[in-house]
Amino acid sequence: MIHVKKLDIFIAKQFGVLFVGAFFICQFVLMMQFLWKYVNELIGKGLSVEVLAQFFGYMALILVPQALPLAILLSALITFGNLGESSELTAIKAAGISLMQAFRSLIVIVVFISLGSFYFQNVVGPNANMSFARLLMSMKQKSPELEIPEGIFYDGIPQCNLYVQKKNVETGMLYGIMIYRMTDSYEDAAIILADSGMLQSTAEKKHLVLSLYDGEWFENMKSQEFAGSASVPYRRETFVRKKIVLDFDADFNVADAGALSNNSRGKSISQIRHDIDSLTHVYDSIGRAFYHDMRRVSWALPAFSTKDSLRAVKMASTKSFNIDTVYNRMPEEKKLEAVNYAMGQVRSAISDLDFKGMITSDGDRIIRQHRIEEINKFTVALSCLLFFFIGAPLGAIIRKGGLGVPVIISVLVFIVYYIFDNMGYRMARGGMWTVWFGKGIALAVLSPLAVFFTYKANNDSVVFNIDMYRNLLMRLLGLRLKRHVSFKDVIIETPRYDHDVEVLERISAEISEYSRSHNLLFAPNVINVFFRYSPDNSIAVISEELEEVIEDLSNTRDPKILTELSHYPFMAVKAHTRPFERKWLNIAAALVVPVGIFLYIRMWRFRLRLYRDLRAVRHSNSVIVRRIRQMKFEGLRR
């Protein structure tokens, strides 16, 4: 036990040093990738060093949970790769210590890291996310001239809606400008059109100067002194160049967090659950209100007189009543009025449903986002354990340390995890998948991989044997190697020619009999293939006898025989009879129709190949028998 404890401390030290270094490397790489997303908010804003320090500090805190799993994967790979490369892992196993015992100390450490990751996401992460969102909002508002988009209205400037058709980023020129400027209300709005222009901040950062070229100014005069004059309802001005000064405080101010109340990443689990209950209650109330409105409009029972009621009952009881008949009896103007009224009702209902659907869909999206973030706090913590049980066994299997192979494998595993996690997040956010399925698909895909690698490493099984996978693929696709019999420089035993001739002739006779009793050119019976299997040992016996003859004749010095021996094919002795050895696997393959069809066609292909192989064997047998008899006759003549 003393040696095991020392070993735990030794492995923990190796892992700890590598984990710290890998964590900072991963953190730096993720920050650089994350930085490109917000680079436009940093360049040209004149931000102070303090603000930039806050930006990078909050960014680093946000990315800590993402860097932890990748750092664990990389450090575990390098740790056990170094142990395997220096033969220390072999010495550990030779001392009777299993691989799981070597993992013991690191499992405890990774569990604590996972708990720390969960605590960080639940306590530190929400505050960092909220502060980062507020800081980012403030940075976007600092210099709006850099934020003006193309093709849509921009309302970042107070009392103005600005539309720009095209923007030159290098010169700052704006083209195809349309401005809606409101001072008190929409009644005294001004519309400004210009061919081009430029928006710049003043030196004191308190105003924006909008320089416009070749345009027109339309302004409603209702609220001004000309409002009572019918002859001057508005003012119109055509200009070649005009400057407009807009009030705007471009100094950096921290934005209010009230607009970030729906930011689910800035909340702990208790806050998320509380807000989900509140949001569900609010949107359920909205749904009930919509239901009562629809019931009141569509199923309302207006007051009828007794005469109208009796008439309605009478019309309902008559079987010959037809609404189309009533419609056809109406005058043309009444028909047109009825159709227009119906179309108006339908359009009104569609517009109303679109508006209500927009409200309810927005609520569903916010609730899904909160549930995704709640589950994400658990999945990110569990990914630390998952990556350890992928990285540590892989390091023990590969036995390559350093930053070469481990970095490549870590990146590949993380890319697979990121693809599935991002795909699940997008599908869950859009409502196509349930939240638990979308956020759990990455763990579900990689968990069997972790179990497989751990099992293989613990049993010292070969995983990355290229020849094994190549042979498996060749067997699956029905591929095979060509036989090559080469000349031997030293021959200890000469071939038994007489015995080999006898065996080859018997094999040729057996092949002829087998070909007459088995119709290899025809499709096999499906029932016999998958449900009523009968063994076929004839080809196995023929192949075994033929290999013995080939092995014996490979000691000959006759080049013609050696050449003909290379023409013998490697025969598959069972692939033409059934897909699998076990009966239940054949039945299962038949029930799964696409798999059964593939295996049936594959087996038929093996039957056709066996037919060609048997013909090639008979031909080579006859050639070799003739050559041996010719050699014997030539020997008698001498």
PDB file of all heavy atoms in Angstrom, residues 131-151:
ATOM      1  N   SER A 131     -21.751  40.955 -16.316  1.00  0.00           N
ATOM      2  CA  SER A 131     -20.855  42.108 -16.415  1.00  0.00           C
ATOM      3  C   SER A 131     -20.297  42.252 -17.828  1.00  0.00           C
ATOM      4  O   SER A 131     -20.157  43.365 -18.348  1.00  0.00           O
ATOM      5  CB  SER A 131     -19.708  41.965 -15.409  1.00  0.00           C
ATOM      6  OG  SER A 131     -20.206  41.892 -14.083  1.00  0.00           O
ATOM      7  N   PHE A 132     -19.977  41.122 -18.462  1.00  0.00           N
ATOM      8  CA  PHE A 132     -19.462  41.167 -19.822  1.00  0.00           C
ATOM      9  C   PHE A 132     -20.522  41.695 -20.787  1.00  0.00           C
ATOM     10  O   PHE A 132     -20.222  42.479 -21.697  1.00  0.00           O
ATOM     11  CB  PHE A 132     -19.003  39.768 -20.246  1.00  0.00           C
ATOM     12  CG  PHE A 132     -18.421  39.698 -21.627  1.00  0.00           C
ATOM     13  CD1 PHE A 132     -17.114  40.092 -21.866  1.00  0.00           C
ATOM     14  CD2 PHE A 132     -19.185  39.258 -22.690  1.00  0.00           C
ATOM     15  CE1 PHE A 132     -16.577  40.034 -23.134  1.00  0.00           C
ATOM     16  CE2 PHE A 132     -18.660  39.197 -23.970  1.00  0.00           C
ATOM     17  CZ  PHE A 132     -17.351  39.586 -24.182  1.00  0.00           C
ATOM     18  N   ALA A 133     -21.775  41.263 -20.613  1.00  0.00           N
ATOM     19  CA  ALA A 133     -22.848  41.731 -21.496  1.00  0.00           C
ATOM     20  C   ALA A 133     -23.078  43.234 -21.334  1.00  0.00           C
ATOM     21  O   ALA A 133     -23.290  43.956 -22.308  1.00  0.00           O
ATOM     22  CB  ALA A 133     -24.131  40.956 -21.199  1.00  0.00           C
ATOM     23  N   ARG A 134     -23.046  43.726 -20.076  1.00  0.00           N
ATOM     24  CA  ARG A 134     -23.207  45.163 -19.846  1.00  0.00           C
ATOM     25  C   ARG A 134     -22.052  45.952 -20.464  1.00  0.00           C
ATOM     26  O   ARG A 134     -22.258  46.999 -21.087  1.00  0.00           O
ATOM     27  CB  ARG A 134     -23.285  45.433 -18.347  1.00  0.00           C
ATOM     28  CG  ARG A 134     -24.528  44.907 -17.662  1.00  0.00           C
ATOM     29  CD  ARG A 134     -24.466  45.145 -16.182  1.00  0.00           C
ATOM     30  NE  ARG A 134     -24.348  46.576 -15.895  1.00  0.00           N
ATOM     31  CZ  ARG A 134     -24.037  47.063 -14.687  1.00  0.00           C
ATOM     32  NH1 ARG A 134     -23.790  46.240 -13.672  1.00  0.00           N
ATOM     33  NH2 ARG A 134     -23.962  48.361 -14.504  1.00  0.00           N
ATOM     34  N   LEU A 135     -20.847  45.437 -20.285  1.00  0.00           N
ATOM     35  CA  LEU A 135     -19.680  46.119 -20.842  1.00  0.00           C
ATOM     36  C   LEU A 135     -19.740  46.133 -22.366  1.00  0.00           C
ATOM     37  O   LEU A 135     -19.428  47.143 -23.005  1.00  0.00           O
ATOM     38  CB  LEU A 135     -18.411  45.416 -20.370  1.00  0.00           C
ATOM     39  CG  LEU A 135     -17.078  46.074 -20.748  1.00  0.00           C
ATOM     40  CD1 LEU A 135     -16.926  47.424 -20.060  1.00  0.00           C
ATOM     41  CD2 LEU A 135     -15.917  45.160 -20.362  1.00  0.00           C
ATOM     42  N   LEU A 136     -20.163  45.021 -22.968  1.00  0.00           N
ATOM     43  CA  LEU A 136     -20.239  44.949 -24.420  1.00  0.00           C
ATOM     44  C   LEU A 136     -21.307  45.895 -24.960  1.00  0.00           C
ATOM     45  O   LEU A 136     -21.118  46.545 -25.991  1.00  0.00           O
ATOM     46  CB  LEU A 136     -20.548  43.507 -24.838  1.00  0.00           C
ATOM     47  CG  LEU A 136     -20.500  43.198 -26.334  1.00  0.00           C
ATOM     48  CD1 LEU A 136     -19.106  43.431 -26.881  1.00  0.00           C
ATOM     49  CD2 LEU A 136     -20.934  41.749 -26.587  1.00  0.00           C
ATOM     50  N   MET A 137     -22.433  45.998 -24.268  1.00  0.00           N
ATOM     51  CA  MET A 137     -23.479  46.924 -24.678  1.00  0.00           C
ATOM     52  C   MET A 137     -22.996  48.365 -24.617  1.00  0.00           C
ATOM     53  O   MET A 137     -23.269  49.178 -25.507  1.00  0.00           O
ATOM     54  CB  MET A 137     -24.717  46.743 -23.798  1.00  0.00           C
ATOM     55  CG  MET A 137     -25.893  47.629 -24.191  1.00  0.00           C
ATOM     56  SD  MET A 137     -27.283  47.453 -23.052  1.00  0.00           S
ATOM     57  CE  MET A 137     -27.685  45.740 -23.311  1.00  0.00           C
ATOM     58  N   SER A 138     -22.246  48.678 -23.586  1.00  0.00           N
ATOM     59  CA  SER A 138     -21.709  50.035 -23.466  1.00  0.00           C
ATOM     60  C   SER A 138     -20.692  50.334 -24.553  1.00  0.00           C
ATOM     61  O   SER A 138     -20.643  51.449 -25.083  1.00  0.00           O
ATOM     62  CB  SER A 138     -21.058  50.202 -22.089  1.00  0.00           C
ATOM     63  OG  SER A 138     -21.980  49.915 -21.046  1.00  0.00           O
ATOM     64  N   MET A 139     -19.867  49.345 -24.903  1.00  0.00           N
ATOM     65  CA  MET A 139     -18.872  49.543 -25.954  1.00  0.00           C
ATOM     66  C   MET A 139     -19.540  49.738 -27.311  1.00  0.00           C
ATOM     67  O   MET A 139     -19.068  50.511 -28.151  1.00  0.00           O
ATOM     68  CB  MET A 139     -17.923  48.340 -25.992  1.00  0.00           C
ATOM     69  CG  MET A 139     -17.031  48.238 -24.766  1.00  0.00           C
ATOM     70  SD  MET A 139     -16.205  46.641 -24.615  1.00  0.00           S
ATOM     71  CE  MET A 139     -15.254  46.612 -26.104  1.00  0.00           C
ATOM     72  N   LYS A 140     -20.651  49.056 -27.556  1.00  0.00           N
ATOM     73  CA  LYS A 140     -21.356  49.225 -28.823  1.00  0.00           C
ATOM     74  C   LYS A 140     -21.972  50.614 -28.935  1.00  0.00           C
ATOM     75  O   LYS A 140     -22.098  51.165 -30.026  1.00  0.00           O
ATOM     76  CB  LYS A 140     -22.445  48.166 -28.957  1.00  0.00           C
ATOM     77  CG  LYS A 140     -21.915  46.774 -29.251  1.00  0.00           C
ATOM     78  CD  LYS A 140     -23.045  45.796 -29.443  1.00  0.00           C
ATOM     79  CE  LYS A 140     -22.519  44.423 -29.808  1.00  0.00           C
ATOM     80  NZ  LYS A 140     -23.621  43.442 -30.030  1.00  0.00           N
ATOM     81  N   GLN A 141     -22.382  51.193 -27.804  1.00  0.00           N
ATOM     82  CA  GLN A 141     -23.025  52.497 -27.821  1.00  0.00           C
ATOM     83  C   GLN A 141     -22.023  53.655 -27.841  1.00  0.00           C
ATOM     84  O   GLN A 141     -22.411  54.799 -28.025  1.00  0.00           O
ATOM     85  CB  GLN A 141     -23.929  52.646 -26.597  1.00  0.00           C
ATOM     86  CG  GLN A 141     -25.117  51.712 -26.594  1.00  0.00           C
ATOM     87  CD  GLN A 141     -25.927  51.814 -25.334  1.00  0.00           C
ATOM     88  OE1 GLN A 141     -25.555  52.523 -24.390  1.00  0.00           O
ATOM     89  NE2 GLN A 141     -27.043  51.098 -25.291  1.00  0.00           N
ATOM     90  N   LYS A 142     -20.757  53.349 -27.657  1.00  0.00           N
ATOM     91  CA  LYS A 142     -19.785  54.432 -27.521  1.00  0.00           C
ATOM     92  C   LYS A 142     -19.545  55.154 -28.841  1.00  0.00           C
ATOM     93  O   LYS A 142     -19.486  56.384 -28.881  1.00  0.00           O
ATOM     94  CB  LYS A 142     -18.457  53.885 -26.998  1.00  0.00           C
ATOM     95  CG  LYS A 142     -17.449  54.996 -26.706  1.00  0.00           C
ATOM     96  CD  LYS A 142     -16.203  54.433 -26.073  1.00  0.00           C
ATOM     97  CE  LYS A 142     -15.280  55.574 -25.642  1.00  0.00           C
ATOM     98  NZ  LYS A 142     -14.829  56.386 -26.754  1.00  0.00           N
ATOM     99  N   SER A 143     -19.398  54.472 -29.935  1.00  0.00           N
ATOM    100  CA  SER A 143     -19.137  55.093 -31.242  1.00  0.00           C
ATOM    101  C   SER A 143     -20.104  54.509 -32.255  1.00  0.00           C
ATOM    102  O   SER A 143     -19.777  53.556 -32.969  1.00  0.00           O
ATOM    103  CB  SER A 143     -17.682  54.836 -31.679  1.00  0.00           C
ATOM    104  OG  SER A 143     -16.788  55.448 -30.778  1.00  0.00           O
ATOM    105  N   PRO A 144     -21.319  55.040 -32.339  1.00  0.00           N
ATOM    106  CA  PRO A 144     -22.312  54.443 -33.229  1.00  0.00           C
ATOM    107  C   PRO A 144     -21.989  54.577 -34.697  1.00  0.00           C
ATOM    108  O   PRO A 144     -22.546  53.864 -35.512  1.00  0.00           O
ATOM    109  CB  PRO A 144     -23.598  55.206 -32.862  1.00  0.00           C
ATOM    110  CG  PRO A 144     -23.117  56.519 -32.342  1.00  0.00           C
ATOM    111  CD  PRO A 144     -21.833  56.221 -31.623  1.00  0.00           C
ATOM    112  N   GLU A 145     -21.120  55.515 -35.080  1.00  0.00           N
ATOM    113  CA  GLU A 145     -20.826  55.645 -36.504  1.00  0.00           C
ATOM    114  C   GLU A 145     -20.148  54.399 -37.057  1.00  0.00           C
ATOM    115  O   GLU A 145     -20.147  54.168 -38.263  1.00  0.00           O
ATOM    116  CB  GLU A 145     -19.942  56.878 -36.754  1.00  0.00           C
ATOM    117  CG  GLU A 145     -18.518  56.774 -36.210  1.00  0.00           C
ATOM    118  CD  GLU A 145     -18.432  57.280 -34.779  1.00  0.00           C
ATOM    119  OE1 GLU A 145     -19.486  57.439 -34.138  1.00  0.00           O
ATOM    120  OE2 GLU A 145     -17.305  57.517 -34.312  1.00  0.00           O
ATOM    121  N   LEU A 146     -19.543  53.592 -36.168  1.00  0.00           N
ATOM    122  CA  LEU A 146     -18.906  52.352 -36.612  1.00  0.00           C
ATOM    123  C   LEU A 146     -19.865  51.172 -36.613  1.00  0.00           C
ATOM    124  O   LEU A 146     -19.532  50.102 -37.109  1.00  0.00           O
ATOM    125  CB  LEU A 146     -17.702  52.027 -35.710  1.00  0.00           C
ATOM    126  CG  LEU A 146     -16.602  53.077 -35.666  1.00  0.00           C
ATOM    127  CD1 LEU A 146     -15.523  52.651 -34.697  1.00  0.00           C
ATOM    128  CD2 LEU A 146     -16.029  53.322 -37.046  1.00  0.00           C
ATOM    129  N   GLU A 147     -21.058  51.367 -36.042  1.00  0.00           N
ATOM    130  CA  GLU A 147     -22.004  50.271 -35.893  1.00  0.00           C
ATOM    131  C   GLU A 147     -23.116  50.306 -36.923  1.00  0.00           C
ATOM    132  O   GLU A 147     -23.995  49.455 -36.903  1.00  0.00           O
ATOM    133  CB  GLU A 147     -22.627  50.307 -34.482  1.00  0.00           C
ATOM    134  CG  GLU A 147     -21.651  50.078 -33.352  1.00  0.00           C
ATOM    135  CD  GLU A 147     -21.096  48.668 -33.365  1.00  0.00           C
ATOM    136  OE1 GLU A 147     -21.821  47.761 -33.808  1.00  0.00           O
ATOM    137  OE2 GLU A 147     -19.953  48.483 -32.956  1.00  0.00           O
ATOM    138  N   ILE A 148     -23.153  51.308 -37.786  1.00  0.00           N
ATOM    139  CA  ILE A 148     -24.267  51.449 -38.721  1.00  0.00           C
ATOM    140  C   ILE A 148     -24.222  50.300 -39.726  1.00  0.00           C
ATOM    141  O   ILE A 148     -23.243  50.146 -40.456  1.00  0.00           O
ATOM    142  CB  ILE A 148     -24.189  52.802 -39.441  1.00  0.00           C
ATOM    143  CG1 ILE A 148     -24.308  53.945 -38.428  1.00  0.00           C
ATOM    144  CG2 ILE A 148     -25.279  52.915 -40.499  1.00  0.00           C
ATOM    145  CD1 ILE A 148     -24.127  55.314 -39.010  1.00  0.00           C
ATOM    146  N   PRO A 149     -25.266  49.482 -39.801  1.00  0.00           N
ATOM    147  CA  PRO A 149     -25.275  48.365 -40.746  1.00  0.00           C
ATOM    148  C   PRO A 149     -25.753  48.796 -42.125  1.00  0.00           C
ATOM    149  O   PRO A 149     -26.238  49.914 -42.317  1.00  0.00           O
ATOM    150  CB  PRO A 149     -26.261  47.374 -40.101  1.00  0.00           C
ATOM    151  CG  PRO A 149     -27.217  48.268 -39.382  1.00  0.00           C
ATOM    152  CD  PRO A 149     -26.436  49.484 -38.921  1.00  0.00           C
ATOM    153  N   GLU A 150     -25.635  47.910 -43.071  1.00  0.00           N
ATOM    154  CA  GLU A 150     -26.096  48.164 -44.436  1.00  0.00           C
ATOM    155  C   GLU A 150     -27.450  47.492 -44.653  1.00  0.00           C
ATOM    156  O   GLU A 150     -27.656  46.354 -44.248  1.00  0.00           O
ATOM    157  CB  GLU A 150     -25.093  47.624 -45.457  1.00  0.00           C
ATOM    158  CG  GLU A 150     -23.750  48.333 -45.444  1.00  0.00           C
ATOM    159  CD  GLU A 150     -22.803  47.758 -46.497  1.00  0.00           C
ATOM    160  OE1 GLU A 150     -23.175  46.747 -47.112  1.00  0.00           O
ATOM    161  OE2 GLU A 150     -21.712  48.317 -46.696  1.00  0.00           O
ATOM    162  N   GLY A 151     -28.361  48.225 -45.274  1.00  0.00           N
ATOM    163  CA  GLY A 151     -29.615  47.633 -45.710  1.00  0.00           C
ATOM    164  C   GLY A 151     -30.724  47.582 -44.692  1.00  0.00           C
ATOM    165  O   GLY A 151     -31.823  47.131 -45.009  1.00  0.00           O
TER     166      GLY A 151
END
